[in-house]
Amino acid sequence: MYLILLGAPGAGKGTVAKMLLKQHPAAHISTGDILRGNVAAGTKLGLQAKKFMDEGGLVPDSLILDMMKGRLAEADAQQGFILDGFPRTIPQAEGLGKILVELGIELTGVISIDVPEQVILDRILSRRTCSNPKCQAIYNVKFMPPKVEGVCDKCGGKLIVRDDETEEVVRHRLKVYEDNTAPLIQYYEAKGQLHRFPGESSDAIVDGVNAMLKK
Ligand code: ADP
Ligand code: ZN
């Protein structure tokens, strides 16, 4: 299974990825998680990426493509992968196309998760993330609160509002998504690789992907 998950920030890509991974062997490759890991570790890439991330803008395509070229070549990705948060621009999609040709991998499909903007805003603004870079567990103060307020159930880390999850930054990220990433829907539709799902039910998306894999 070689999948791309497309969807606005907060559409539920991470949740769907985790559900699919319980049923299929694949590497979960989230560019956001890798970048945050680099920021926390203070790597050169992290230092370069941080200012774009804090503003809710996109990290330049060249940095992302270099990073993903390495990541997709790793052993665990050969048996399958779920790309979460990549590609995010047409040049990234074209770069990914080339990387996959080099690796001899054919995409299984591209899943687009469609969620109305107001629902997304509500979701993200009530989101809290574990500050432990190795954990990064996500909670929602309305729908999925931790057992103890402000503390991660899994590792005891402190839960925080990410720098890029304030209302102003979230509105900006949604616009960046509309301008840069939404065009990928047409891009993959034209290639006959797109499968669209409404975002209300993660279970329905997982069922849809399973049906697609059987074909
Ligand atoms: P979300 O999916 O909630 O928008 P992510 O965790 O995927 O957030 O990404 C957080 C930030 O990392 C983005 O706002 C952006 O700055 C940067 N980022 C992640 N993936 C990419 C990418 N493929 N291209 C450019 N920037 C990226
Ligand atoms: Zn944690």
Side-chain angles (χ1 to χ4, degrees):
M1 174 180 75
Y2 301 96
L3 284 184
I4 294 176
L5 295 183
L6 278 183
K13 298 186 294 291
T15 308
V16 169
K18 285 186 184 108
M19 289 167 71
L20 285 168
L21 289 170
K22 288 196 180 134
Q23 305 175 16
H24 304 280
H28 179 195
I29 304 183
S30 154
T31 41
D33 284 352
I34 302 175
L35 289 168
R36 279 186 293 279
N38 275 277
V39 171
T43 67
K44 187 172 168 222
L45 171 63
L47 293 173
Q48 289 171 312
K50 186 173 185 330
K51 65 172 186 301
F52 300 103
M53 295 171 73
D54 286 349
E55 288 165 2
L58 293 179
V59 175
D61 289 336
S62 57
L63 292 179
I64 296 288
L65 282 168
D66 281 348
M67 170 179 113
M68 288 306 280
K69 203 171 175 168
R71 181 63 188 90
L72 288 167
E74 283 178 34
D76 67 333
Q78 310 316 305
Q79 53 161 355
F81 56 62
I82 299 177
L83 302 184
D84 170 358
F86 172 84
R88 247 177 166 91
T89 65
I90 298 277
Q92 288 183 21
E94 288 170 346
L96 171 64
K98 287 192 193 123
I99 296 171
L100 294 180
V101 169
E102 280 165 23
L103 292 170
I105 289 173
E106 199 178 319
L107 277 182
T108 309
V110 179
I111 308 299
S112 169
I113 307 176
D114 303 328
V115 181
E117 184 158 329
Q118 190 53 50
V119 175
I120 288 195
L121 262 176
D122 278 353
R123 270 192 203 167
I124 300 192
L125 297 180
S126 52
R127 194 144 94 174
R128 301 291 178 271
T129 304
C130 177
S131 58
N132 170 1
K134 293 214 176 77
C135 176
Q136 301 195 30
I138 295 171
Y139 299 84
N140 184 300
V141 289
K142 287 190 196 155
F143 314 116
M144 213 187 48
K147 294 201 187 86
V148 180
E149 199 189 315
V151 180
C152 178
D153 291 349
K154 292 181 185 143
C155 78
K158 185 168 176 263
L159 300 183
I160 53 162
V161 174
R162 266 165 45 183
D163 287 344
D164 63 351
E165 289 186 347
T166 62
E167 176 150 4
E168 193 197 349
V169 177
V170 170
R171 286 192 186 277
H172 179 60
R173 282 164 68 201
L174 288 172
K175 181 162 188 325
V176 168
Y177 175 81
E178 272 316 308
D179 293 347
N180 299 279
T181 311
L184 292 178
I185 294 175
Q186 282 78 44
Y187 177 88
Y188 285 114
E189 190 151 48
K191 288 179 179 285
Q193 292 176 310
L194 191 77
H195 303 259
R196 292 190 90 143
F197 296 94
E200 283 86 49
S201 159
S202 304
D203 287 311
I205 299 174
V206 171
D207 290 348
V209 170
N210 281 327
M212 191 180 110
L213 287 170
K214 282 194 191 105
K215 277 191 197 135

